């Protein structure tokens, strides 16, 4: 049912209030004042660097860029089973059904009823028991079928605007579903990255614990030979204990990340998840699409939802204006009434009524005027919220682009620092065995290597997470036409 049908049924009426026009797409061709250079080369384990593909569209299944079959499986499973998405889909159905219900007011409302009764009417005032000609009481039956028709001509377009409001609400529900879908996929991928990071940090911590344990055994042998003091041994004991303290928080973080992924797939945490994630199993996307700003805004669910809010507010203003204008109601009923059902529809038993009524609000204490003023303010609010959504979208994309640029430098620096710390630790271990280094140099080398390794892992994890942030900020390649 389009607006054309509405106009016909409205007997030539028009819809008062502003007609909605989508906001114009911005003229910006990029997200930053300067030309944005692609990030530098990646770290030791990530191979080649990343490249920004300006003007390229974001793929709908952007998570495939990480080249992990396990990740692809768990994301698809989440999209198919997550109860939050199921609830969002049901909300779309509710909104669309409400819209269809409102469109029914474009047509005359027709109803039918039939009554049959058996009656006995008192004639006590006219019946004289002494009168031989008096008629005694007689029961009789009455059958009355009839059809009722009512129609409200939409001369001011109030019903058109009300249906338009509900259509805009359905659009909002659709984009809220897309936003929930995008948030779900990004949360799943980030949880996988978090698990991989936790596993790498646990493995690195265990490596340094093994090294420190080995060095502690060496120091104890040297102490037994009288080559070092007991204080030197205790310093290594403290260093080992401090490294061991790092494991429980990391193991807790790993367990919680896996619990999160299980919940995101719509499963209970009592069910074991078979997939596991390591940093080496998640490939850094080499090519990062950077769609044009106009394309990005068309795919961002939050921006499109803000646009639908403008549409709703515009239609609500039309409803408020129409409510202050005269209204006409047309009614008709026709039927037949007879004492016997067999006589229905015979000549002389039919009846009909045609009626028209007009109403005009005259004094409402300022209520209707205030409601129109509120609707106008709501429209201004929706327009401002849309502009804010656009500004936020630009900021999200720019933040992700600049973060990826710095991530490349951070990964390179972290890899270099880890390599230098590893070489230093090897040198100090050799000198320790030869008795040529003091304990403080050993502790410093151990701590430097542990911190450098953890920093490298965090830098690589951040780079993966910021790649996810860019895909998400660009709208995730979602297509509202699929709903």
């Amino acid at each position: 049912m389009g607006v054309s049908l509405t106009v016909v049924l409205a007997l030539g009426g028009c819809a008062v209030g502003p007609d909605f026009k989508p906001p114009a797409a911005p003229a910006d061709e990029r997200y930053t004042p300067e030309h944005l250079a692609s990030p530098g080369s990646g770290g030791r384990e990530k191979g080649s660097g990343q490249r920004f593909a300006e003007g390229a569209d974001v793929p709908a299944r952007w998570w495939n860029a990480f080249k992990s079959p396990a990740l692809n499986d768990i994301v698809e499973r989440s999209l198919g089973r997550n109860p939050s998405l199921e609830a969002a889909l049901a909300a779309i159905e509710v909104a669309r059904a409400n819209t269809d219900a409102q469109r029914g007011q474009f047509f005359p409302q027709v109803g039918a009823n039939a009554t049959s009764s058996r009656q006995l009417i008192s004639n006590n005032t006219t019946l004289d028991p002494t009168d031989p000609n008096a008629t005694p009481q007689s029961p009789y039956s009455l059958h009355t079928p009839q059809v009722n028709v009512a129609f409200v001509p939409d001369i001011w377009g109030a019903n058109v605007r009300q249906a338009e409001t509900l259509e805009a609400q359905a659009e909002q529900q659709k984009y809220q579903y897309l936003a929930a879908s995008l948030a779900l996929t990004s949360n799943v991928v980030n949880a996988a990255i978090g698990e991989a990071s936790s596993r790498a940090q646990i493995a690195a911590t265990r490596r340094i614990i093994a090294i420190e344990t080995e060095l502690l055994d060496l120091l104890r042998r040297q102490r037994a030979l009288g080559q070092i003091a007991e204080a030197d041994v205790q310093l290594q004991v403290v260093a080992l204990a401090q490294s061991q303290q790092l494991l429980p928080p990391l193991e807790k973080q790993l367990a919680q990340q896996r619990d999160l992924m299980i919940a995101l797939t719509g499963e209970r945490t009592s069910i074991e998840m078979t997939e596991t994630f390591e940093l080496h199993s998640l490939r850094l996307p080499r090519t990062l699409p950077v769609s044009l700003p106009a394309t990005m805004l068309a795919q961002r669910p939050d921006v499109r939802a803000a646009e639908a809010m403008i549409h709703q507010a515009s239609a609500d203003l039309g409803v408020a204006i129409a409510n202050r204008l005269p209204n006409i109601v047309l009614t008709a009923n026709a039927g037949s009434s007879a004492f016997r059902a067999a006589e229905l529809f015979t000549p002389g038993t039919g009846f009909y009524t045609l009626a028209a009524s007009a109403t005009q609000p005259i004094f409402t204490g300022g209520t209707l005027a205030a409601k129109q003023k509120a609707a106008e303010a709501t429209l201004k609010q929706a327009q401002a919220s849309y502009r804010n959504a656009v500004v936020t979208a630009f900021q999200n994309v720019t933040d992700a682009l600049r973060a990826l640029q710095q991530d490349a430098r951070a990964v390179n620096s972290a890899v270099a620092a880890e390599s230098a710390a590893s070489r230093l630790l090897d040198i100090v271990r050799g000198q320790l065995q030869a008795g040529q280094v003091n304990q403080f140099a050993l502790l410093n080398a151990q701590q430097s290597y542990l911190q450098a390794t953890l920093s490298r892992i965090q830098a690589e994890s951040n780079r993966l997470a910021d790649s996810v942030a860019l895909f998400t900020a660009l709208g995730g390649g979602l297509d509202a036409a699929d709903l």
Side-chain angles (χ1 to χ4, degrees), residues 209-391:
I209 288 174
I211 293 173
E212 290 176 341
T213 302
E214 176 188 341
L215 294 175
L216 178 59
D217 292 339
L218 176 60
L219 290 172
R220 282 173 174 166
R221 288 196 300 271
Q222 291 179 345
R223 173 71 181 94
L225 296 174
Q227 297 176 351
I228 60 173
E230 180 62 27
D232 294 329
V233 176
Q234 291 305 313
L235 283 174
Q236 183 64 17
V237 171
V238 172
L240 175 59
Q242 289 176 340
S243 297
Q244 291 171 334
Q245 285 180 339
L246 298 176
L247 277 179
L250 290 172
E251 291 171 343
K252 180 186 75 172
Q253 180 177 303
L254 173 61
Q256 290 177 340
Q257 289 290 342
R258 290 188 63 79
D259 290 343
L260 173 61
M261 279 194 289
I262 293 172
L264 291 174
T265 60
E267 299 287 356
R268 299 177 299 279
T269 53
S270 59
I271 299 175
E272 180 63 29
M273 185 177 67
T274 58
E275 294 89 350
T276 59
F277 298 95
E278 306 279 356
L279 278 180
H280 62 77
S281 67
L282 298 172
R283 302 299 181 187
L284 185 70
R286 292 189 177 186
T287 301
L288 293 172
V290 183
S291 54
L292 295 173
T295 303
M296 178 272 294
L297 294 178
Q299 291 187 332
R300 284 270 301 214
D302 57 337
V303 174
R304 298 300 301 275
E307 180 182 318
M309 288 182 64
I310 297 178
H311 192 180
Q312 177 184 345
S314 175
D316 284 339
L317 176 56
V319 173
I321 295 174
N323 287 339
R324 303 183 65 185
L325 300 174
N327 192 30
I328 297 175
V329 178
L330 304 178
T331 59
N333 74 312
S336 177
S337 185
F339 293 111
R340 287 187 293 272
E343 296 176 351
L344 289 172
F345 310 113
T346 58
T349 61
F351 65 88
Y352 69 86
T353 301
L354 299 176
S357 64
T359 59
Q360 166 64 57
I362 297 177
F363 177 74
T364 62
T367 299
L368 296 180
K371 288 184 176 181
Q372 179 179 338
K373 186 176 180 180
E376 292 169 348
T378 301
L379 178 58
K380 294 179 181 178
Q381 180 185 23
Q383 291 168 338
S385 297
Y386 175 82
R387 293 193 298 272
N388 183 65
V390 171
V391 170

Side-chain angles (χ1 to χ4, degrees), residues 143-165:
H143 306 278
T144 308
Q146 58 181 327
V147 175
N148 304 301
V149 181
F151 180 55
V152 181
D154 200 17
I155 54 178
W156 308 116
N159 194 50
V160 171
R161 295 304 191 198
Q162 187 62 48
E164 194 177 348
T165 292

Side-chain angles (χ1 to χ4, degrees), residues 3-19:
V3 175
S4 58
L5 176 59
T6 305
V7 173
V8 171
L9 294 175
L11 300 180
C14 60
V16 297
D19 292 327

Side-chain angles (χ1 to χ4, degrees), residues 42 58 138 174 196 206 276 278-279 297 328 369 378 392 409 448 465 468:
V58 178
S138 348
K174 179 172 66 175
R206 286 175 176 168
T276 59
E278 306 279 356
L279 278 180
L297 294 178
I328 297 175
T378 301
T392 301
R409 298 171 58 188
S448 296
V468 175

Side-chain angles (χ1 to χ4, degrees), residues 73-84:
D73 290 343
I74 197 170
V75 170
E76 296 294 343
R77 198 159 69 243
S78 299
L79 290 173
R81 299 181 183 178
N82 188 275
S84 296

